[in-house]
Amino acid sequence: DQPVNINRALWEEISVVTGLGKTRSMKIVIHRRKHGKFSDVSELLNVRGIGQKLFEKVKDKVCV
């Protein structure tokens, strides 16, 4: 499976990543709109609701 680009994808596309779902995916898109594109996937840790444990689970399934 190809990683999901969190700078381009709609929340619907991000939500297919196991562990993210609708609510977190929407928060990722809102964060991106407010703060601009992510420069690194580790910036997902700045999104409310995404902690270290979840980040470790999804980091290889997303890209920028």
Side-chain angles (χ1 to χ4, degrees), residues 11-58:
W11 73 262
E12 295 92 340
E13 297 166 303
I14 299 169
S15 70
V16 301
V17 176
T18 303
L20 293 181
K22 180 180 178 180
T23 303
R24 287 190 185 106
S25 298
M26 290 176 125
K27 287 180 180 181
I28 290 169
V29 172
I30 290 166
H31 186 276
R32 182 177 72 203
R33 286 182 185 154
K34 281 185 179 178
H35 303 283
K37 292 185 174 188
F38 295 92
S39 59
D40 189 82
V41 294
S42 65
E43 291 180 9
L44 281 176
L45 291 166
N46 297 328
V47 177
R48 175 175 242 140
I50 300 179
Q52 190 66 42
K53 188 175 180 182
L54 178 59
F55 174 71
E56 291 298 325
K57 187 176 179 182
V58 302

